[in-house]
Amino acid sequence: MEEIYDKVLDRLRVLCSRKEYCSGDMLKKAAEYLSRYGCPPESVPEMAASLLDSLCKDRYVDDLRYAAAFARDKAALTGWGTVKIRYALASKGIGPDVIQEALRSINRDQAGSRLYRLLEVKRKALKDDPQSRLKMLKFALGRGYGYEEAESAIKRLIESARTSE
């Protein structure tokens, strides 16, 4: 049994050294590997929890580090807003305090300008659509931005378009 534990722990450490994982993902992976290596089903939950404790203690897994990296990447690379990021992290089992701390790592100015650029592209695609304002608002909300943030960006975009005409 100890041989299986050590083999799985080594495998999980290799995974963690290549990419950030949250504790929920690592718990699932630990259970999966334990089952794959022949651990008795009744021992899997306890051993998986023990493996996760070991990984956390050795700082291979850190939910705050994972959540902050996730939030920064999703905001900067995919253009997600804080609402969508919050829900995605919560679905991974990350606690609200950790999520709140991770969201602080997002550059608000950069996220706002990203939303503005996304809406500029969307506005051009909607060109003469009479419901373009509504569609842009739905688009921004779907990306995970808050209503006030989206409404403000749309107003600036429309004002900018009026002055440039």
Side-chain angles (χ1 to χ4, degrees):
M1 198 68 108
E2 195 170 315
E3 183 180 314
I4 293 172
Y5 181 90
D6 291 339
K7 188 184 275 190
V8 172
L9 183 60
D10 287 342
R11 180 70 185 129
L12 295 175
R13 284 178 176 158
V14 168
L15 289 175
C16 289
S17 67
R18 293 183 183 155
K19 176 182 161 186
E20 286 289 343
Y21 287 96
C22 66
S23 56
D25 289 346
M26 268 297 111
L27 191 61
K28 289 176 191 170
K29 285 196 178 294
E32 176 186 318
Y33 283 123
L34 286 167
S35 297
R36 188 182 302 167
Y37 289 130
C39 182
E42 62 276 357
S43 301
V44 168
E46 184 182 323
M47 284 184 73
S50 175
L51 285 164
L52 179 62
D53 287 344
S54 177
L55 290 170
C56 289
K57 185 181 73 172
D58 294 339
R59 307 253 318 132
Y60 280 98
V61 175
D62 183 341
D63 280 347
L64 178 58
R65 188 177 63 215
Y66 171 83
F70 183 92
R72 282 190 309 271
D73 287 352
K74 292 299 181 184
L77 302 176
T78 60
W80 283 13
T82 56
V83 175
K84 192 168 187 174
I85 293 169
R86 183 184 308 278
Y87 282 117
L89 287 171
S91 73
K92 290 187 168 285
I94 308 277
D97 295 340
V98 174
I99 293 172
Q100 192 60 39
E101 184 67 30
L103 291 176
R104 287 190 193 113
S105 69
I106 296 174
N107 183 333
R108 298 286 178 195
D109 294 335
Q110 188 179 25
S113 64
R114 173 83 179 198
L115 172 62
Y116 188 82
R117 287 192 312 271
L118 288 169
L119 288 172
E120 275 183 318
V121 171
K122 188 69 171 173
R123 184 174 182 276
K124 288 176 185 172
L126 294 171
K127 207 165 191 173
D128 295 324
D129 190 332
Q131 293 187 337
S132 63
R133 183 183 182 95
L134 174 65
K135 289 181 179 180
M136 285 191 298
L137 182 61
K138 288 173 77 174
F139 172 77
L141 294 175
R143 282 292 184 117
Y145 291 92
Y147 180 82
E148 293 81 16
E149 190 177 13
E151 185 64 28
S152 171
I154 292 169
K155 281 181 183 176
R156 281 189 325 205
L157 183 63
I158 291 172
E159 285 299 316
S160 173
R162 282 188 191 141
T163 58
S164 67
E165 289 176 354

